[in-house]
Amino acid sequence: MTALIEGLYGGHPTKSARNQVQRGVGELRKHGVSIIERDGSYMIDTSLDAVDAWEFKKLTEQASAAVPPADKATLLWRALRVWRGPALGDLDSDVFRAAAIEWEERRLTALEARVDAELALGGHGEIIPELQRLVIDHPLRESSHERLMLAYYRAGRPGEALTAYAELRTNLAEELGIDPSADVQRLYERILRQEPVPIPQGSVPRQLPRRPWRVIGRHGELTRIRGALETGSRVVAVVGAAGSGKTTLALEAAHEVASMFPDGHLYITKPDNALPAILRALDGGYVPNRGEEGSARMQTLLAGRRVMIVLEDVTSAAQIRPVLPASSECALIVTSSCSLMPLRDAVQVTLAELPFSDAWTLLAESVGARRLEAEPDATRYVLEVCGGLPLALDIVAAKLAAKPHWSIGRLAARLRDHDALLDELRHDDLHLRVALDRGYRTLSPDLRVLLRVIGHHGSTEISAREVSRIAGLALTETERRLEALAEAKLLHVRAGEGGGLRYHCTAMILAHAREKALAESPAAELVASLPRLRHARPDGAPCPS
């Protein structure tokens, strides 16, 4: 009781101080706080986990002992979420003000430790807004300015890093009449000379997303990828159509062999920015403007290290060559919708459609085998529409699992409407249209035009001669474009009668191509193609309206 009164009133308690403390305890009890009174003292009767301060302290201590930056960042993020405002914000006595200052310093220290962990993970750009707010709130806190400078520099923004230093120097001079610390000045000089700023010792980039929760089928492909990496292949290319499960397979393989590459796991989704991303992840320094200088520096940084790089959505071999590791101790896994055979030393693993049995198993895991077996014809039709494409199957499985009152037949009926097919093949954050759009944007303009022509025609299978008549192109040019679309995994080539070739387009790609034709092709072009469409169709049927 005495300590509470002193804390609340300092050295000048009021006559009613004791009664006010007792009333306060009573109010806390009314709100469900269990308080025990014993010998004139009060004790909160609860576990330590129920007290915010102890929960924060426990999590920060665990973070201090954590080695992987990802674990450290997660623990500190949880610790900081405990805070819901200033510590002891409504209490203004000397005792509580001193305690509040101490707790605020602990919060800032935890925040800066989380920033360090995020920087070690390569999250330079993402952490900048938080650091900007921090230096505004604490304009004289050198450690926060130092981290902001580092984040700017590693994100490829050296000018803003130098500006942050200038602002700190001005603040310190005007408010305290001093210069920045020696550590901050050294960082400033390294940025000024565009020198590398190494990752702190013990910080190893671990950027792989979480492991896929399941991989159905693809056992042969997975074995081949793993075998290639285990026998020293520098590059493995996983090639397949949009939605074929390239990312899932690449990540599963990467996680399986991760222990072979203890010096880092990099994950990059923008191939045009791959080289700067690799350099910043490895040493966080300045990125040369000239590509050949950046490649040479990357090879220097990788020498003597075992690092694995996963590079997503590659569209050409030219995007890969600048980041090919020279060291046989490193590996590069790439995913692409087009053939990467020009890379002669790459092991290319091409993903075909899932076999019917694997597609059925994938659906049954989410929906239940009994539900599928009760409607075999409707199930077969749904699987045929999905065409063995894992993304389409995942969407259908998620939709049916979320709608247990739907019959398989009801979904099958909705999938028969080709104009609404892509609207049906979406659920929550799974969108087949998004995946197809991404592949469409990588095509050259002439290939986009031809794909739209095929979509407007509306036949799932067509010959080069028929496409030539519809598009008004020479046969040789038509064949060149069709082969390019086949290499991009948008068409399948089949042998036709008399040794000719037929080009098959799945219902999903056909629906997407038709959407693009109606949205992007000029109306006059579509109208002009109508006579050619009728002439090209074997049955003379009109084009779909």
Side-chain angles (χ1 to χ4, degrees):
M1 175 68 78
T2 303
L4 278 173
I5 292 174
E6 184 179 347
L8 287 169
Y9 300 98
H12 306 284
T14 64
K15 292 181 179 180
S16 61
R18 180 175 294 273
N19 290 335
Q20 288 178 357
V21 169
Q22 290 171 341
R23 280 199 299 270
V25 170
E27 286 297 317
L28 288 173
R29 285 170 171 163
K30 288 179 183 179
H31 287 81
V33 179
S34 178
I35 299 177
I36 299 173
E37 183 177 0
R38 183 179 300 159
D39 299 329
S41 299
Y42 294 105
M43 181 177 67
I44 297 177
D45 183 22
T46 186
S47 66
L48 291 179
D49 290 344
V51 180
D52 289 348
W54 286 107
E55 180 69 5
F56 173 79
K57 186 173 182 291
K58 180 188 73 174
L59 290 168
T60 52
E61 288 174 352
Q62 289 175 355
S64 298
V67 175
D71 293 348
K72 190 183 294 288
T74 300
L75 287 165
L76 290 168
W77 180 81
R78 288 173 54 197
L80 291 164
R81 284 196 66 189
V82 170
W83 287 73
R84 294 189 292 272
L88 308 172
D90 296 329
L91 302 169
D92 60 358
S93 72
D94 292 343
V95 172
F96 287 114
R97 277 197 296 269
I101 291 171
E102 180 183 343
W103 279 105
E104 176 62 10
E105 182 58 32
R106 291 180 181 179
R107 185 188 71 85
L108 292 173
T109 300
L111 178 55
E112 290 177 342
R114 186 178 68 81
V115 167
D116 291 342
E118 297 288 355
L119 290 173
L121 291 169
H124 319 123
E126 293 82 355
I127 206 68
I128 286 173
E130 190 170 0
L131 283 169
Q132 289 171 330
R133 292 191 297 271
L134 189 59
V135 300
I136 289 172
D137 293 339
H138 302 275
L140 301 179
R141 191 176 179 87
E142 292 191 58
S143 54
S144 297
H145 282 79
E146 183 179 10
R147 287 166 173 83
L148 179 60
M149 292 168 61
L150 188 58
Y152 274 137
Y153 189 46
R154 287 183 176 175
R157 297 157 65 176
E160 290 167 277
L162 298 175
T163 299
Y165 174 81
E167 291 175 352
L168 172 63
R169 182 175 57 188
T170 299
N171 292 340
L172 291 174
E174 292 179 352
E175 297 292 329
L176 304 175
I178 62 174
D179 291 325
S181 68
D183 286 343
V184 176
Q185 290 187 47
R186 278 192 291 270
L187 175 60
Y188 164 75
E189 290 167 0
R190 298 188 80 164
I191 295 172
L192 201 61
R193 293 193 295 266
Q194 298 182 352
E195 294 178 352
V197 179
I199 294 174
Q201 190 174 15
S203 296
V204 176
R206 305 287 189 205
Q207 299 178 353
L208 289 182
R210 66 182 180 86
R211 192 168 189 165
W213 73 280
R214 68 173 179 185
V215 178
I216 292 179
R218 309 296 194 205
H219 302 300
E221 294 92 335
L222 188 59
T223 299
R224 189 176 174 207
I225 295 170
R226 188 174 56 242
L229 295 171
E230 288 174 347
T231 55
S233 295
R234 289 187 306 152
V235 187
V236 175
V238 183
V239 178
S244 61
K246 301 183 295 294
T247 295
T248 297
L249 194 64
L251 288 178
E252 176 64 22
H255 278 280
E256 287 193 6
V257 301
S259 61
M260 294 170 51
F261 304 96
D263 299 319
H265 311 143
L266 308 186
Y267 181 72
I268 301 164
T269 57
K270 297 178 180 178
D272 287 334
N273 195 43
L275 183 56
I278 291 170
L279 292 175
R280 290 178 189 129
L282 292 176
D283 77 349
Y286 174 72
V287 177
N289 291 326
R290 296 175 59 182
E292 60 271 20
E293 292 179 11
S295 293
R297 184 160 150 224
M298 184 196 80
Q299 302 301 352
T300 300
L301 292 170
L302 290 177
R305 302 169 77 174
R306 288 174 290 172
V307 175
M308 174 175 58
I309 305 166
V310 179
L311 181 58
E312 291 266 36
D313 293 329
V314 169
T315 58
S316 69
Q319 290 178 318
I320 301 176
R321 289 195 176 96
V323 296
L324 279 175
S327 170
S328 60
E329 298 296 311
C330 297
L332 176 64
I333 304 175
V334 302
T335 67
S336 178
S337 294
C338 59
S339 172
L340 296 174
M341 293 308 292
L343 292 173
R344 295 186 178 179
D345 55 349
V347 175
Q348 180 160 304
V349 178
T350 302
L351 304 185
E353 300 87 354
L354 283 178
F356 183 87
S357 59
D358 287 338
W360 194 93
T361 299
L362 191 155
L363 201 56
E365 278 202 355
S366 296
V367 177
R370 290 186 179 180
R371 195 171 170 190
L372 301 184
E373 290 167 351
E375 298 179 79
D377 292 340
T379 297
R380 178 171 289 278
Y381 179 77
V382 169
L383 293 177
E384 287 175 354
V385 170
C386 291
L389 205 62
L391 177 57
L393 291 163
D394 281 338
I395 293 171
V396 166
K399 180 168 284 193
L400 287 172
K403 301 178 186 295
H405 53 285
W406 274 26
S407 66
I408 309 296
R410 178 174 181 175
L411 177 62
R414 295 171 74 96
L415 294 177
R416 291 182 191 278
D417 183 354
H418 292 169
D419 288 333
L421 180 60
L422 297 183
D423 291 326
E424 290 298 328
L425 289 175
R426 63 173 293 179
H427 183 77
D428 198 6
D429 63 341
L430 298 175
H431 300 264
L432 183 62
R433 184 184 279 109
V434 171
L436 295 175
D437 280 343
R438 191 161 51 241
Y440 178 78
R441 287 194 297 269
T442 65
L443 298 175
S444 61
D446 59 338
L447 295 185
R448 294 185 194 180
V449 169
L450 192 66
L451 188 62
R452 295 199 300 265
V453 166
I454 294 171
H456 191 49
H457 179 264
S459 291
T460 57
E461 194 164 291
I462 197 168
S463 69
R465 194 170 298 278
E466 289 167 334
V467 177
S468 174
R469 285 198 293 267
I470 298 167
L473 295 171
L475 182 60
T476 53
E477 175 62 15
T478 301
E479 289 174 336
R480 182 193 69 79
R481 296 190 191 185
L482 287 171
E483 288 298 319
L485 289 174
E487 285 188 15
K489 309 304 176 188
L490 294 169
L491 300 176
H492 300 285
V493 185
R494 298 175 178 175
E497 296 180 4
L501 298 177
R502 305 283 295 176
Y503 295 88
H504 177 78
C505 189
T506 67
M508 294 170 291
I509 292 176
L510 197 65
H512 185 258
R514 175 166 165 74
E515 281 188 358
K516 292 300 181 184
L518 296 175
E520 298 180 12
S521 297
E525 181 182 304
L526 295 178
V527 171
S529 70
L530 293 178
R532 299 197 298 268
L533 283 170
R534 294 190 183 93
H535 185 264
R537 287 173 177 272
D539 57 1
C543 67
S545 57

